[in-house]
């Protein structure tokens, strides 16, 4: 019974971390990088202005895609918590190390499978 209580409190820690991260992504909205680039561009020539502008937009889009991916992974992780399958590797079915879950609570695979993917 003690082990079950311990497991539940760990799940709660991860759930809080997931909800917090989700809130951060949703409130950020990916607008800040664009604003910073506009202030920067006023000090540069026309050519540099355009190149820099495009680059900043590209970075902003990339950031947004990453956020969207993390957001989806967070939703999946929250769903797995509800189903009671959280913390199990999607690929090999082994438990994911607690330290890894603390670092990346929305991860789907264990470190071994992640390294096999090479990404
Ligand atoms: Zn695995």
């Amino acid at each position: 019974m003690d082990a079950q209580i311990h497991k539940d409190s760990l799940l709660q820690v991860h759930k809080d971390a997931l909800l917090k991260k989700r809130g951060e992504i949703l409130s950020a909205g990916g607008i800040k990088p664009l604003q910073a680039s506009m202030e920067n561009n006023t000090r540069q020539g026309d050519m540099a202005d355009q190149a820099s502008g495009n680059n900043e937009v590209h970075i902003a889009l990339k950031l947004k895609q990453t956020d969207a991916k993390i957001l989806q992974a967070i939703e999946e992780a929250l769903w797995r918590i509800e189903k009671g399958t959280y913390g199990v590797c999607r690929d090999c079915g082994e438990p994911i190390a607690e330290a890894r879950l603390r670092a990346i609570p929305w991860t789907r695979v264990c470190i071994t499978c992640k390294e096999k993917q090479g990404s």
Side-chain angles (χ1 to χ4, degrees):
M1 276 212 307
D2 285 353
Q4 185 58 45
I5 290 167
H6 182 61
K7 202 186 166 202
D8 285 349
S9 67
L10 276 179
L11 272 182
Q12 190 59 49
V13 167
H14 294 312
K15 193 175 178 179
D16 286 349
L18 288 164
L19 291 172
K20 185 164 173 260
K21 181 69 182 177
R22 183 169 71 169
E24 281 172 11
I25 292 174
L26 290 177
S27 65
I31 293 169
K32 278 169 195 164
L34 277 178
Q35 205 164 19
S37 85
M38 278 166 74
E39 283 168 25
N40 216 10
N41 286 343
T42 55
R43 293 198 305 269
Q44 294 172 344
D46 284 341
M47 294 295 283
D49 182 36
Q50 277 194 336
S52 169
N54 287 339
N55 200 27
E56 289 292 341
V57 169
H58 184 71
I59 290 168
L61 280 175
K62 209 173 168 187
L63 269 179
K64 253 187 153 173
Q65 278 179 353
T66 307
D67 278 356
K69 271 186 188 173
I70 293 175
L71 208 54
Q72 197 195 353
I74 288 173
E75 296 293 347
E76 286 176 22
L78 288 169
W79 173 236
R80 286 199 299 275
I81 288 177
E82 294 305 316
K83 284 202 300 181
T85 59
Y86 179 77
V88 176
C89 175
R90 183 195 60 184
D91 288 357
C92 69
E94 293 290 321
I96 300 172
E98 185 61 29
R100 177 164 167 76
L101 289 175
R102 280 183 190 268
I104 318 168
W106 55 87
T107 188
R108 300 179 181 96
V109 294
C110 70
I111 190 70
T112 312
C113 292
K114 181 76 183 173
E115 279 170 358
K116 264 190 256 176
Q117 286 173 5
S119 57

